[in-house]
Amino acid sequence: MNIAVFVSGRGSNLRAIIENENLKDLVKVVLVISDKIDCGAFKIAEEFKIETAVVGKNGISFSELIIILDNKKTGLIVLAGFLKLIPAEFVKHYEERIINIHPALLPSYGGKGMYGHHVHEAVFQSGDKFSGPTVHFVNSEYDRGAIIAQKYVDISEVKSADEIASLVLKAEHILLPEVVGLFAQDRIKIENGKVKIVGLEERQS
Ligand code: GAR
């Protein structure tokens, strides 16, 4: 399956997808898109000879991007640290084919302004004993689409928000490629607004 990855920063999740051995025969990253002209993730794309595009006020429009992505037969769009809201028209065009990784256990610690460091700071202040990434489908509201998967991280002993960030990031690099793989195998279904992973019930019983 051809996939496109949206990024705004460093791109460690992009790298986790590209380098994941289990994804090698399942997906191909055909385009890396950013709202920034220059970002760490573009350097990673360059390293792996993946095409890049800039969207938004510094680049092409989302309608132009739809044409490019459709031409590339893109089956899945992954938001990996993309910090701008995706316009409703774009979300509608790729309904149930856009996923996002968020660095906390949604529905807590989500919404506008809750990204990266802000999330971990709020979690640290709360005194919560667990945090962890969430992968969810994207709709036109920040962090509100159906939850696909989450990974619990024990933060009961941490001394800083930075420590939470690094523990959660490690879990992101496992969870996101896992979900991408499930999607590429057509094992993620939405029933009555809730996500079911095909084959998981059998494995657990
Ligand atoms: C990740 O921690 C991701 O969960 C977060 O941005 C970081 C990007 O890191 N996303 C959000 O906060 C979205 N609300 P990366 O560029 O190294 O993958």
Side-chain angles (χ1 to χ4, degrees), residues 7-15 41 44 79-83 100-104 109-111 113-117 119-120 133-134 136 142-143 165 168-169 172-173 176:
V7 293
S8 293
R10 150 187 77 182
S12 70
N13 278 289
L14 168 67
R15 185 182 284 285
I44 296 171
L79 310 189
F82 186 71
L83 302 180
N100 176 50
I101 183 138
H102 184 78
Y109 308 106
M114 277 306 230
Y115 59 87
H117 165 73
V119 175
H120 302 301
T134 300
H136 63 94
Y142 276 108
D143 304 325
V168 171
L169 192 66
E172 290 184 41
H173 296 162
L176 187 57

Side-chain angles (χ1 to χ4, degrees), residues 7 33-34 59 63 68 73 83 96 101 105 115 163 174-175 189 191 202:
V7 293
I33 301 123
S34 181
S63 338
I68 296 172
K73 304 203 179 337
L83 302 180
E96 297 177 5
I101 183 138
L105 297 168
Y115 59 87
E163 225 180 298
I174 297 167
L175 189 68
K189 306 283 175 203
E191 284 170 21
E202 293 87 332

Side-chain angles (χ1 to χ4, degrees), residues 12-200:
S12 70
N13 278 289
L14 168 67
R15 185 182 284 285
I17 292 171
I18 298 171
E19 291 186 338
N20 189 284
E21 285 300 323
N22 300 327
L23 292 182
K24 292 255 149 77
D25 297 328
L26 284 175
V27 302
K28 178 167 192 254
V29 181
V30 291
L31 192 65
V32 172
I33 301 123
S34 181
D35 54 319
K36 307 258 168 53
I37 292 171
D38 198 19
C39 60
F42 272 180
K43 306 244 167 8
I44 296 171
E46 206 178 291
E47 182 185 330
F48 290 92
K49 301 190 171 33
I50 301 167
E51 221 180 290
T52 59
V54 178
V55 72
K57 67 175 194 304
N58 298 315
I60 58 173
S61 67
F62 275 90
S63 338
E64 286 170 307
L65 190 55
I66 288 178
I67 297 169
I68 296 172
L69 291 172
D70 281 355
N71 275 337
K72 290 184 177 294
K73 304 203 179 337
T74 310
L76 172 69
I77 288 160
V78 181
L79 310 189
F82 186 71
L83 302 180
K84 287 268 162 9
L85 190 66
I86 302 277
E89 161 218 355
F90 188 93
V91 173
K92 194 154 186 283
H93 189 86
Y94 294 109
E95 206 174 1
E96 297 177 5
R97 282 190 289 154
I98 313 179
I99 62 171
N100 176 50
I101 183 138
H102 184 78
L105 297 168
L106 293 175
S108 298
Y109 308 106
K112 197 170 188 318
M114 277 306 230
Y115 59 87
H117 165 73
H118 301 284
V119 175
H120 302 301
E121 206 55 68
V123 172
F124 184 64
Q125 292 306 329
S126 75
D128 285 1
K129 304 295 176 214
F130 286 93
S131 187
T134 300
V135 180
H136 63 94
F137 279 109
V138 170
N139 60 19
S140 48
E141 278 176 272
Y142 276 108
D143 304 325
R144 294 305 296 268
I147 291 175
I148 302 169
Q150 298 179 302
K151 202 166 171 65
Y152 279 78
V153 171
D154 184 346
I155 54 164
S156 54
E157 304 290 329
V158 302
K159 304 274 182 301
S160 69
D162 281 351
E163 225 180 298
I164 298 176
S166 100
L167 289 171
V168 171
L169 192 66
K170 265 198 207 127
E172 290 184 41
H173 296 162
I174 297 167
L175 189 68
L176 187 57
E178 234 167 55
V179 172
V180 169
L182 289 169
F183 191 93
Q185 295 172 84
D186 199 23
R187 288 177 55 197
I188 299 179
K189 306 283 175 203
I190 304 189
E191 284 170 21
N192 305 319
K194 289 207 182 102
V195 170
K196 278 194 88 165
I197 313 273
V198 178
L200 207 63

